Amino acid sequence: MRPTRRSLAVGGLVVFLTALAILFARPALLVGAVGIGAWLCVRQYLFYRELVSTTASLSIRQTPALTGLKTGQSTTVTIGATLEGPSSLSLSIDAGLPVSTVTEADPTLALESETGEATRTMEVSWPVAGRHEFEPARVTASDGLFTETLTLGSTPTVTVQPRGPRSIHVGSGGNRVPVRQGNHPAGKSGSGLVPAELREYVPGETAARIDWKATARLVTPHVRTYDAETDRLTVLVVDHSSTLATGPDGETQLDYLREVALLLAESAHGLGDPVGLWTVDESAITSQYPPSTGPIKRIRRRLLDLEAASEGTRTPQQQSAGSGDPTAALRELRRGGDDSLTATLEPYLGARTGNERFETSGPALSKAVQKALSQQRSSAWVVLLTNDADPSAVRRSVRQAREAESDVLVLLTPTVLFEPGELVDLEAAYERYLEFEEFRRSLDRLDHVTALEVAPDETLTTVLSVGRRRRGVTQ
Amino acid sequence: MSRFLPESHLEASSLLGEGTMDYWPEALALTALLIVFGLTAGPAGVLVGLLTAGVWYALGTPYAFAVGHVGIVVAFSDGLDPLTLALLEVPFVALLVGPLVRHHARVRAIGVALTVVLAGSALVWVGTSQLSLSVTALLVLGFLMIVSYGIHRLELVRLGLVRDDRDRAASETATEGRTQ
């Protein structure tokens, strides 16, 4: 209970009369001070009584229209108050919006006793991901002499998810296939620790390879062979041409492919395999990181910086206007002169360069595969991450990789599952998905080629439900 | 605010009447005040009574109390016997209690008002007869502060606004976890 300025003035009056009583030695003034003090105490008591009865009859609801959102999205929040009995107090109610929310509306609601009910709806945006619980609403009650603030009402929770791919499906024909791999067979024997087989000694082999214990046990000379331990060269070729920009903000085809590429790079790095990265757009190789077993920080950073190219082929000058290219930014910075900003930023941007753009005469994807494999002496595991926009370019790239005797993993995003509004006509979407599936299977049938789809799980399930329904009708 | 009283009039919203007729207790108390002042102090007393009534209308009961008591001191500049003072206090107490009849908790409110007035007055009477006036004044102020603080604590406890250390720690933990 806090006094207002009016009741503080009355308190001052008590002190003033008391001072006068002492000054003029007149106890009558002290009796007057007692009377004023009694008035103040009674009003305080009445405020307490009124507050108790008001809070007993007051109910407050805080209701967000949506309880699950993506970062940056807005939803309406309605705050409602109902007073079941009469109250002489003036009530102002502040919505208990979580701290991280942003609203331009006034979150304060005034409740008149005559109406007994009030609601306010406000637009609230949620820029921070996480689970946000509302605070109880803050009710400020006043009778003009005293005020009190208390908390009342429901405390709903809103879950805000970050933008970006949440549920990634990697598989074939709707069936999930694990893409992250553990140890993998090298397909040949050599030096290693894991025994592969015991075989008879063949004349001409070095005597050092004879397993003498096995020879003693089996009478004739025997040789023990081991599984070879080799590193598998992993080459990631990531397409970021303009067609991969299809999809909602933060959930484009490129975003999905980026997640899978990061996973594969981490996985290969974890197994000690050398990992390299080539990125391409429609007409050029936009960056190349030759395979290495060292830290994959630069590959990670490049993948995270990767943006879908703008519509059409971009010239190097246009490329320099983009914000995500450190080489272009460094060039621009150096053009600006030798100032302290250049001196500060140069080392940072210098460390991120390596994204020199190489224009190619044909489709950049196959050129990148060719360039990546031409630099390697051994066969590699080529991972192509692209979509179904240009099937002939994908086929050519796969052929290039197979000619170099490399195993190929093709990760394709079906464009139909990313186009906004495409799922309005599910039948048409399913037909287009079947076309994609036909293309994927044609690649998957090739020797040493695995072709998988990368898609949002929920969307794929929705489209595949059409197929299930059709089969159900047929049966 | 009541249509009868001006904006400057000081009263709790729960005690405001809707029309002029709702203020009959105050009118009665002020009439009694005029009569008692007139009878005890003559025309000067009537003048003080009218002034007190005017201040009540304009500013409210506490200011009417202040003006009325200063008026008593002025009107009885030669001194005042306790019986006359008690007689003069009756209409003031009526003015204090009068508006409370409009409240649904009138009995308890009147009880609080009379208790404070009687206890305070007794303190003044005993204090002035046993102690110096300045010490009595301090005792009276202390008494009023204790009563006021007691009502404040009662409100906190009744509405569950008192938090011990354990509650505070739990609340802080909840606040930290609320936005995660």
Side-chain angles (χ1 to χ4, degrees):
Chain A
M1 192 185 295
R2 298 183 309 279
T4 64
R5 284 171 63 188
R6 300 179 107 197
S7 52
L8 280 175
V10 175
L13 203 59
V14 174
V15 176
F16 177 67
L17 270 192
T18 309
L20 279 185
I22 296 168
L23 198 64
F24 295 108
R26 300 302 292 265
L29 290 172
L30 207 51
V31 175
V34 168
I36 299 170
W39 183 90
L40 207 54
C41 290
V42 173
R43 298 308 181 270
Q44 205 181 340
Y45 176 76
L46 290 178
F47 175 70
Y48 147 69
R49 292 289 306 223
E50 201 67 22
L51 194 59
V52 169
S53 64
T54 301
T55 50
S57 63
L58 181 65
S59 62
I60 294 172
R61 304 164 304 282
Q62 301 185 100
T63 320
L66 297 170
T67 53
L69 297 160
K70 291 271 169 76
T71 47
Q73 267 191 319
S74 296
T75 185
T76 54
V77 173
T78 305
I79 177 162
T82 309
L83 195 60
E84 281 162 13
S87 173
S88 60
L89 302 180
S90 72
L91 299 170
S92 109
I93 299 155
D94 283 309
L97 294 173
V99 185
S100 57
T101 57
V102 177
T103 180
E104 287 179 4
D106 180 12
T108 307
L109 177 74
L111 180 61
E112 302 293 335
S113 179
E114 292 82 40
T115 52
E117 191 158 359
T119 53
R120 169 161 295 178
T121 303
M122 59 197 110
E123 191 76 13
V124 177
S125 67
W126 304 76
V128 180
R131 189 172 165 273
H132 303 281
E133 189 179 351
F134 278 63
E135 300 277 346
R138 282 168 61 84
V139 182
T140 304
S142 177
D143 67 347
L145 295 171
F146 297 94
T147 60
E148 183 59 277
T149 304
L150 16 101
T151 52
L152 282 175
S154 54
T155 56
T157 302
V158 171
T159 307
V160 183
Q161 291 186 337
R163 285 187 184 274
R166 299 296 299 169
S167 173
I168 305 172
H169 166 91
V170 181
S172 57
N175 301 314
R176 281 182 179 274
V177 172
V179 70
R180 189 180 176 138
Q181 298 190 358
N183 289 326
H184 34 79
K188 57 187 177 184
S189 61
S191 61
L193 293 173
V194 182
E197 62 171 336
L198 199 63
R199 61 170 173 78
E200 273 200 63
Y201 173 76
V202 179
E205 281 184 301
T206 169
R209 299 195 62 190
I210 295 173
D211 186 330
W212 293 108
K213 285 183 181 175
T215 302
R217 201 165 58 244
L218 300 167
V219 182
T220 53
H222 273 74
V223 169
R224 189 180 294 277
T225 60
Y226 294 87
D227 278 338
E229 284 192 358
T230 59
D231 293 328
R232 183 169 63 170
L233 193 65
T234 304
V235 173
L236 300 172
V237 182
V238 182
D239 185 3
H240 65 106
S241 51
S242 60
T243 57
L244 282 138
T246 314
D249 190 24
E251 293 171 35
T252 61
Q253 295 183 74
L254 181 61
D255 291 321
Y256 275 77
L257 291 179
R258 185 203 325 275
E259 291 294 321
V260 181
L262 283 166
L263 180 82
L264 289 169
E266 293 281 359
S267 174
H269 178 66
L271 292 167
D273 292 341
V275 189
L277 170 71
W278 273 260
T279 61
V280 296
D281 62 16
E282 277 95 342
S283 61
I285 298 169
T286 53
S287 61
Q288 38 188 321
Y289 297 86
S292 124
T293 48
I296 56 162
K297 206 159 47 177
R298 293 180 71 200
I299 289 177
R300 262 186 66 82
R301 194 182 294 147
R302 177 58 184 151
L303 283 170
L304 291 169
D305 284 346
L306 212 55
E307 287 174 14
S310 56
E311 205 68 54
T313 308
R314 299 198 305 176
T315 63
Q317 284 71 30
Q318 285 171 324
Q319 171 91 356
S320 72
S323 57
D325 181 8
T327 310
L330 188 61
R331 204 182 305 131
E332 284 293 316
L333 192 68
R334 283 172 180 158
R335 201 175 295 156
D338 280 341
D339 55 3
S340 61
L341 180 69
T342 311
T344 309
L345 291 180
E346 205 168 357
Y348 294 101
L349 290 169
R352 296 182 61 188
T353 52
N355 305 339
E356 291 294 344
R357 187 179 167 86
F358 292 97
E359 297 290 334
T360 57
S361 51
L365 194 67
S366 57
K367 292 286 178 191
V369 172
Q370 189 183 17
K371 200 169 171 62
L373 296 178
S374 67
Q375 294 169 4
Q376 310 308 323
R377 276 174 293 178
S378 59
S379 64
W381 183 45
V382 178
V383 183
L384 290 174
L385 297 106
T386 183
N387 65 358
D388 56 349
D390 189 356
S392 59
V394 179
R395 282 202 181 92
R396 199 174 307 152
S397 309
V398 171
R399 207 179 306 126
Q400 293 269 352
R402 285 302 304 135
E403 280 169 9
E405 295 184 351
S406 295
D407 290 338
V408 186
L409 171 64
V410 187
L411 292 160
L412 293 165
T413 49
T415 306
V416 62
L417 299 184
F418 289 86
E419 285 175 348
E422 195 58 39
L423 297 188
V424 174
D425 184 356
L426 272 178
E427 293 287 340
Y430 184 66
E431 289 299 331
R432 286 186 61 194
Y433 175 74
L434 287 181
E435 285 171 25
F436 164 82
E437 183 61 9
E438 186 56 41
F439 169 53
R440 187 196 63 76
R441 281 184 188 171
S442 70
L443 292 173
D444 201 45
R445 278 193 289 269
L446 300 172
D447 277 347
H448 294 276
V449 177
T450 306
L452 301 174
E453 66 208 349
V454 178
D457 205 17
E458 301 89 12
T459 318
L460 182 63
T461 309
T462 310
V463 171
L464 288 177
S465 67
V466 177
R468 276 196 296 274
R469 204 166 55 236
R470 280 187 190 177
R471 281 194 296 276
V473 169
T474 315
Q475 284 160 14
Chain B
M1 194 68 197
S2 163
R3 269 172 282 167
F4 170 63
L5 296 170
E7 281 288 321
S8 56
H9 185 94
L10 187 65
E11 189 54 276
S13 57
S14 57
L15 293 177
L16 290 173
E18 284 185 6
T20 312
M21 296 306 289
D22 291 327
Y23 291 92
W24 64 266
E26 287 95 325
L28 218 61
L30 288 171
T31 309
L33 189 85
L34 270 174
I35 293 167
V36 172
F37 268 61
L39 289 175
T40 51
V46 174
L47 201 65
V48 170
L50 284 172
L51 191 64
T52 305
V55 170
W56 174 84
Y57 177 76
L59 298 174
T61 308
Y63 295 95
F65 265 65
V67 170
H69 283 82
V70 171
I72 289 172
V73 170
V74 173
F76 297 92
S77 54
D78 296 337
L80 183 66
D81 64 287
L83 196 66
T84 312
L85 180 62
L87 191 66
L88 285 167
E89 289 299 330
V90 171
F92 280 112
V93 174
L95 193 60
L96 175 69
V97 168
L100 302 182
V101 298
R102 289 195 289 272
H103 200 271
H104 55 86
R106 64 182 71 86
V107 178
R108 288 186 185 197
I110 290 170
V112 171
L114 292 180
T115 306
V116 176
V117 167
L118 291 175
S121 303
L123 197 62
V124 173
W125 185 36
V126 173
T128 47
S129 58
Q130 304 287 324
L131 305 162
S132 69
L133 189 61
S134 53
V135 174
T136 308
L138 286 176
L139 285 174
V140 166
L141 284 180
F143 164 72
L144 291 174
M145 283 168 74
I146 287 169
V147 173
S148 177
Y149 183 70
I151 296 168
H152 170 67
R153 291 298 299 179
L154 178 69
E155 181 237 21
L156 293 183
V157 172
R158 179 74 191 272
L159 292 172
L161 299 174
V162 182
R163 297 195 304 171
D164 59 20
D165 289 343
R166 225 173 353 179
D167 289 343
R168 204 168 294 130
S171 159
E172 277 163 14
T173 313
T175 310
E176 280 165 17
R178 204 159 267 147
T179 301
Q180 50 181 281

